[in-house]
Amino acid sequence: DGVTEVLAHHSENLQSKFVEIPCSEDYDSHKRFEGCTPRKCGRGVTDAVITREEAARIRRIAERGLSLGGSDGGASILDLHSGALSLGKHFVNLYRYFGDKIQDIFTEEDFALYRDVRRRIQQRIAQAFGISSSSMYLTKPTFFSRINNTEAKTTHDEYWHPHVDKVTYGSFDYTSLLYLSDYTEDFGGGRFVFMDAGSNKTIEPRAGRVSFFTSGSENLHRVEKVRWGTRYAITISFTCNPDHGIGDPVLM
């Protein structure tokens, strides 16, 4: 594993931490959008954008949605935008599968909070990278994840492989994660690891903590296997290309 350096400890309450790193060439093979496509690259962490109380409310949305399904393996996914929900070894469309019953599971307040949290994260990313938040568009997949130590049954469950978001999902330019549970209290393992030449930089999840980064190869990363407990997070991703933009989820 080489040398591991902790970028953000779970016990810290970080106002703001930002590390600038040179951009990879990944953005050159995509259409550039002036004033949005990364020219400054890096990674940031903040505990000052979302409160722990808001994180607990968002987590309850995830728990209610994921209680309707869940993967047989280590990673369960809930995407409120597309309706994708892990069910056994497959995915179902939450909105089609449960129809009108969905009104009993989620409220308008849930979706309003979700939109507000997304907007604040978007503004913080724009501020950190010196771009206009109106030039960024939410893109897919944007999803809740619930990870425990159940063995992976399908390749979808194998969340721990190193990857580059821009390579995996061409539309991504900026990736963010909002953590909804606490490292060492709610789960063990499951840290987020940036894999740099010669050393790893890790982020220890803490409810309400937002980590964000440019999506190219400059930020190769992985998530450690969760050894015990349950880790909740939401991945919220942004693109500079309006053709790849998606709207906020709406309660049908």
Side-chain angles (χ1 to χ4, degrees), residues 188-243:
R191 294 182 303 172
F192 186 95
V193 184
F194 288 110
M195 303 175 74
D196 296 342
S199 77
N200 288 334
K201 311 287 192 301
T202 67
I203 291 175
E204 297 178 350
R206 165 190 165 96
R209 170 165 289 170
V210 176
S211 71
F212 57 88
F213 49 94
T214 43
S215 308
S217 304
E218 67 279 358
N219 281 313
L220 173 70
H221 61 274
R222 69 185 186 90
V223 172
E224 292 175 330
K225 284 189 181 182
V226 170
R227 294 194 310 276
W228 58 267
T230 307
R231 176 193 192 269
Y232 283 93
I234 176 168
T235 299
I236 302 177
S237 35
F238 298 96
T239 184
C240 296
N241 187 339
D243 294 344

Side-chain angles (χ1 to χ4, degrees), residues 8 12-18 43-50 120-121 124-125 177-179 203 206-212:
E12 291 178 283
N13 188 351
L14 289 169
Q15 191 61 32
S16 181
K17 190 168 194 173
F18 185 80
R43 49 189 76 146
V45 190
T46 176
D47 295 313
V49 174
I50 309 300
R120 279 185 270 159
I121 291 172
R124 174 49 70 98
I125 295 173
L177 288 143
L178 165 59
Y179 296 107
I203 291 175
R206 165 190 165 96
R209 170 165 289 170
V210 176
S211 71
F212 57 88

Side-chain angles (χ1 to χ4, degrees), residues 144 219 250:
F144 288 105
N219 281 313
V250 220

Side-chain angles (χ1 to χ4, degrees), residues 28-49:
D28 300 342
S29 54
H30 294 263
K31 187 176 173 189
R32 293 192 76 88
F33 292 85
E34 214 38 63
C36 180
T37 299
R39 292 203 178 276
K40 168 184 175 181
C41 290
R43 49 189 76 146
V45 190
T46 176
D47 295 313
V49 174

Side-chain angles (χ1 to χ4, degrees), residues 1 11 24 52 65 99 108 120 123 140 142 169 173 184 197 211:
D1 260 1
S11 55
S24 64
R52 285 176 69 79
E108 284 296 352
R120 279 185 270 159
Q123 285 169 342
K140 62 181 183 185
T142 280
Y169 314 104
D173 290 302
T184 73
S211 71

